[in-house]
Amino acid sequence: MRAIRIERYGGREVLEEVGVDVPAPGPGEVRVKLAYAGINFMDVYTRRGVYAKPGHYAASLPLTLGMEGAGRVDAVGEGVRAWKPGDRVAWCLVRGSHAEYAVVPGSKLVAVPDGLGLDIAAAALFQGITAHYLVEDVGCLRSGLWCLVHSGSGGIAQLLIQMARRRGARVLATASSAGKAEVARSRGAEGVSGYESEAVMALVQQHIGERGVDVVFDSAGADTFDTSLRALRTAGLMVLYGTNSGKVPPIDPMRLADAGSLFFTRPRLADYVADAATLRRRAKDVFDALAAGALSVHISGVHDFSTLAEGHRQLEARESIGKSVLRIDSTVV
Ligand SMILES: NC(=O)c1ccc[n+]([C@@H]2O[C@H](COP(=O)([O-])OP(=O)(O)OC[C@H]3O[C@@H](n4cnc5c(N)ncnc54)[C@H](OP(=O)(O)O)[C@@H]3O)[C@@H](O)[C@H]2O)c1
């Protein structure tokens, strides 16, 4: 089968299309024939070697890239009862999806409803369940609360804004261009500014006055961290969920006190889908809302094996809006 492998960490030049054996599912595992796979910032981090050290999401070389996909079950390993060949499934946080077949633990699979395309499932699962836990269990958003969502045109951010609005919360956002600001507005942000601290503070002042926002969702990190703390109300919640602009330096706890008794969390999806039941509940909420048209995801780019490097380039160059996918076999439906 065809697969995108890396043998060493580095730039886009380390991405290689190779022919490898079709993997066999072991006990508890399921082999899936892929239709589409998601392309994520996490693939870029993996390629660069961010996960080379032991720890969460640890990677070792050589590896097949890709940690999100959708397709049909092709074979099941010993002891698998929940899945059978032909089932439409999706998964994330298991590496190896940038290939024609992937082997996935049965406990990491979720069902894709009949009304939902496998391209949308591959595009929406990882970012959708991330937005889901951030809105429901971290930000605990509800009517009357205001949040600030940085990089409002990003994949997670677009879903986050829609889910926040569905829960009755109100949203401000940042974006790096007029086009991206328009995308954030179209998802439900009431006001959007650039990233400069003064622009963000003026936006908050205009919509909420002196009080500040209740929650900030920050995936940029280094460039936005200080502004995020400034934008919060007393005892507000700072949620740092990504570091697209670089790592945040260690912070002195007194900074949280001085900024107004703030709460700070650096959450990780794996901890919010720790068991199969929680993963399936979140995925079902997201997929049902997509199938019903209550939530929408924009596929901004469709790449093939030969153009995957371009997908990475667009992510790194900040050109992508929403989500790109890798088309593996569009006859799998
Ligand atoms: N904690 C978790 O549980 C969890 C789970 C999944 C993903 N993540 C992380 O969440 C972040 C967002 O993921 P995503 O899938 O929504 O990404 P995405 O769709 O690629 O969004 C990235 C956006 O980040 C903004 N950005 C700001 N500074 C940037 C920089 N220096 N370089 C590139 N982009 C920059 C860009 O928007 P502008 O041009 O408007 O700035 C870009 O559109 C990633 O860091 C990802 O690893 C965290």
Side-chain angles (χ1 to χ4, degrees):
M1 66 169 190
R2 292 180 303 151
I4 299 289
R5 302 273 282 177
I6 59 171
E7 306 248 321
R8 60 195 164 90
Y9 297 118
R12 295 185 289 277
E13 70 285 352
V14 304
L15 299 173
E16 222 186 328
E17 183 186 329
V18 294
V20 293
D21 290 341
V22 174
E29 292 180 334
V30 172
R31 186 171 67 208
V32 182
K33 180 161 174 46
L34 277 117
Y36 286 86
I39 302 173
N40 290 288
F41 233 98
M42 210 168 155
D43 302 327
V44 174
Y45 293 151
T46 303
R47 191 199 78 212
R48 289 177 183 165
V50 170
Y51 304 113
K53 292 194 188 125
H56 245 90
Y57 308 137
S60 60
L61 294 175
L63 62 82
T64 299
L65 217 58
M67 37 65 63
E68 177 180 38
R72 281 200 186 255
V73 171
D74 172 66
V76 299
E78 194 190 314
V80 173
R81 304 269 174 274
W83 306 105
K84 60 179 187 324
D87 287 345
R88 299 172 87 236
V89 293
W91 74 95
C92 62
L93 289 182
V94 178
R95 287 206 182 85
S97 69
H98 290 178
E100 288 177 289
Y101 294 85
V103 163
V104 184
S107 60
K108 300 283 184 190
L109 291 176
V110 300
V112 178
D114 284 343
L116 196 69
L118 291 172
D119 54 344
I120 299 290
L125 182 63
F126 182 50
Q127 294 177 334
I129 60 175
T130 300
H132 190 276
Y133 90 79
L134 290 172
V135 165
E136 305 236 333
D137 300 290
V138 180
C140 302
L141 295 185
R142 56 185 153 75
S143 176
L145 296 186
W146 279 91
C147 63
L148 170 66
V149 180
H150 282 298
S151 314
S153 74
I156 295 170
Q158 285 192 45
L159 288 157
L160 222 161
I161 294 170
Q162 295 176 72
M163 289 180 194
R165 295 304 304 263
R166 286 181 71 204
R167 287 178 70 92
R170 302 178 71 180
V171 182
L172 302 175
T174 57
S176 67
S177 70
K180 287 187 170 187
E182 199 39 53
V183 171
R185 269 191 212 95
S186 73
R187 294 312 194 187
E190 290 178 54
V192 186
S193 76
Y195 287 99
E196 314 74 36
S197 213
E198 293 319 315
V200 174
M201 295 314 289
L203 179 76
V204 172
Q205 170 79 33
Q206 180 196 342
H207 287 267
I208 323 177
E210 292 302 325
R211 185 173 159 274
V213 297
D214 300 280
V215 184
V216 175
F217 295 102
D218 189 338
S219 62
D223 288 355
T224 44
F225 190 79
D226 292 346
T227 304
S228 297
L229 296 191
R230 270 186 84 191
L232 281 162
R233 69 160 163 86
T234 301
L237 173 64
M238 165 66 177
V239 184
L240 178 71
Y241 71 95
T243 50
N244 279 352
S245 68
K247 271 176 113 169
V248 175
I251 61 163
D252 176 351
M254 277 316 290
R255 273 198 70 194
L256 301 175
D258 293 341
S261 303
L262 299 181
F263 292 84
F264 170 50
T265 181
R266 187 10 179 138
R268 183 160 52 195
L269 174 62
D271 294 320
Y272 286 86
V273 287
D275 58 88
T278 308
L279 169 66
R280 286 179 192 152
R281 175 177 60 80
R282 293 196 195 285
K284 183 171 175 358
D285 277 4
V286 172
F287 284 168
D288 286 353
L290 284 164
L295 199 61
S296 135
V297 64
H298 173 60
I299 297 182
S300 56
V302 180
H303 296 277
D304 295 306
F305 283 113
S306 60
T307 61
L308 179 65
E310 171 61 9
H312 279 224
R313 191 198 65 74
Q314 287 168 354
L315 275 180
E316 291 174 289
R318 242 164 144 153
E319 286 173 15
S320 57
I321 295 184
K323 183 66 175 260
S324 301
V325 293
L326 179 66
R327 178 175 43 213
I328 296 170
D329 185 346
S330 52
T331 66
V332 179
V333 291

